[in-house]
Amino acid sequence: MDDATTNNDIRLREGSSIAQRLVIAGFAAAVALCFTPGLFTHDTLEVIISVVALLLGAAFIGGIMLAPAVVWIITPNEILIGRQRPFGRLRTRIVAKDDISQLQVQGQVQGRKASATRFQLAFTLVSGERLTSPPISDVTHVRDTVARIAAQFGVPNVEAPVNPLDAANPEMHLGEPVEPFSSRDIRIVALIVAGLSAVPYAYKLWRGLSPGLVDIMLLPLGAIAAFAVHRYANLVTGAFWIIRQGDVRVERLSGDGSLRADHIEGRDVEAITVERRGRSEDEHCIVAIRLRSGQKFRSPRIGSRQEARAVGTEIVRRLGIGPENNRI
């Protein structure tokens, strides 16, 4: 998924490549096949579980392989929409400039703590039909892109989107400001962890059975886990990046909930790259900065690889990172 500009054209794309689909489908098939031995047992429950797992796996693989790839080419006079399913024929549609009556920008937050907002264009036609574009992956120039398209098609009163990652902002924000968990919540979770570790031991005593070695070992392990939750719970709150001209401020929490901040300047950067931190390159890419000191900072999740590249490119520009250190 990416958007590119060729002369006066803007291209918006959505949909994984055939190679990415095959990798995901292959992984799903491998997981589903792990349940195959259950089909050859005489246990009715195991047979039912195996059949359900195989059916779900087949449905998931079918959905992955049959999902269409969509491309929009926005020219000064029209919109060319192409839609194609894997191994299927390309279906095209042309929307003329005069058929467009209204343009809106939709923002879709990615997750509970938004690391970025994904923007899509919603066109309303004279006929009343509504068309929604693939996401704009250059999230650092959404305002310029929207203003340019509105001017091309002569659409008035287009509301400028609020974009924390727009390059026009003096400060670009990645993630959300970090806040410590309440002491009450941490204590409750720690008590739950300790209690769960004691359940097998208590159950054996209640049934009049002798606790086994595993049951006894779970007690100190539960105590250690409860202490770790109480001491280090705030470390999982993530990071908040403030990208300014000349430096990046990275805010995180210590185990006790106090705020600590690191500052990254261009001269300190040994390499800046885009990495995948999850299952898909369409949703789980980040920007990683490695300093000359060996310390490495990973940004909150941004989105697709193209979106992460756009953010990384703007960081390179603001910090004045040399081309020899740019791995984006």
Side-chain angles (χ1 to χ4, degrees):
M1 288 169 25
D2 66 342
D3 60 319
T5 303
T6 306
N7 297 328
N8 293 323
D9 298 348
I10 298 174
R11 295 175 182 263
L12 306 176
R13 302 177 186 234
E14 184 174 28
S16 302
S17 66
I18 294 295
Q20 291 175 334
R21 294 169 192 256
L22 290 175
V23 170
I24 298 174
F27 177 77
V31 173
L33 290 175
C34 291
F35 292 87
T36 302
L39 296 174
F40 304 100
T41 65
H42 299 288
D43 190 324
T44 304
L45 180 60
E46 288 192 18
V47 172
I48 293 175
I49 293 175
S50 298
V51 171
V52 171
L54 290 173
L55 290 177
L56 289 177
F60 182 79
I61 293 170
I64 289 292
M65 296 306 298
L66 295 179
V70 181
V71 59
W72 280 37
I73 303 176
I74 303 176
T75 71
N77 299 311
E78 63 187 15
I79 302 174
L80 175 61
I81 302 175
R83 179 183 293 267
Q84 185 177 25
R85 296 187 181 277
F87 315 112
R89 62 178 298 183
L90 176 65
R91 300 180 180 274
T92 60
R93 177 182 178 180
I94 295 178
V95 179
K97 174 180 178 178
D98 297 335
D99 294 336
I100 298 172
S101 63
Q102 190 177 2
L103 169 62
Q104 293 178 323
V105 185
Q106 297 179 342
Q108 185 179 24
V109 176
Q110 303 297 301
R112 182 177 65 89
K113 282 197 170 184
S115 53
T117 302
R118 184 162 292 183
F119 296 96
Q120 295 174 286
L121 304 173
F123 292 90
T124 302
L125 306 187
V126 176
S127 63
E129 183 181 3
R130 188 178 177 89
L131 300 176
T132 303
S133 76
I136 301 174
S137 61
D138 187 357
V139 291
T140 61
H141 292 88
V142 174
R143 293 177 193 166
D144 291 343
T145 301
V146 172
R148 175 181 167 186
I149 294 174
Q152 286 182 183
F153 294 146
V155 182
N157 303 322
V158 178
E159 185 177 355
V162 176
N163 180 13
L165 288 177
D166 207 289
N169 300 335
E171 292 185 350
M172 296 167 56
H173 294 168
L174 262 178
E176 289 189 351
V178 289
E179 297 179 356
F181 296 113
S182 69
S183 300
R184 176 177 174 271
D185 292 341
I186 293 177
R187 285 196 298 267
I188 290 175
V189 174
L191 289 174
I192 290 175
V193 171
L196 288 176
S197 66
V199 167
Y201 185 88
Y203 176 77
K204 291 289 183 67
L205 292 180
W206 178 66
R207 294 295 301 270
L209 303 175
S210 177
L213 179 62
V214 174
D215 303 322
I216 297 174
M217 289 297 298
L218 283 176
L219 296 178
L221 290 177
I224 294 173
F227 173 78
V229 170
H230 186 271
R231 183 69 178 83
Y232 302 110
N234 286 308
L235 296 181
V236 302
T237 54
F240 177 52
W241 282 32
I242 303 173
I243 306 165
R244 301 175 290 204
Q245 190 67 37
D247 82 309
V248 176
R249 176 183 169 91
V250 180
E251 296 182 352
R252 293 175 293 184
L253 293 179
S254 302
D256 59 0
S258 60
L259 182 68
R260 57 193 179 102
D262 295 283
H263 290 269
I264 303 173
E265 297 184 359
R267 63 175 180 268
D268 302 326
V269 176
E270 180 178 344
I272 178 170
T273 58
V274 170
E275 297 180 358
R276 185 178 69 185
R277 300 286 288 179
R279 298 160 293 174
S280 170
E281 289 192 357
D282 292 336
E283 299 178 355
H284 300 88
C285 288
I286 63 170
V287 172
I289 298 178
R290 186 172 71 251
L291 304 185
R292 300 185 190 278
S293 62
Q295 192 174 8
K296 191 169 186 178
F297 294 89
R298 293 181 174 88
S299 75
R301 181 173 62 87
I302 298 173
S304 71
R305 181 169 290 273
Q306 286 72 30
E307 291 167 343
R309 281 175 177 167
V311 174
T313 300
E314 181 61 20
I315 293 176
V316 168
R317 187 190 70 80
R318 292 197 176 199
L319 297 188
I321 298 174
E324 67 278 4
N325 306 116
N326 186 0
R327 305 288 187 270
I328 296 176

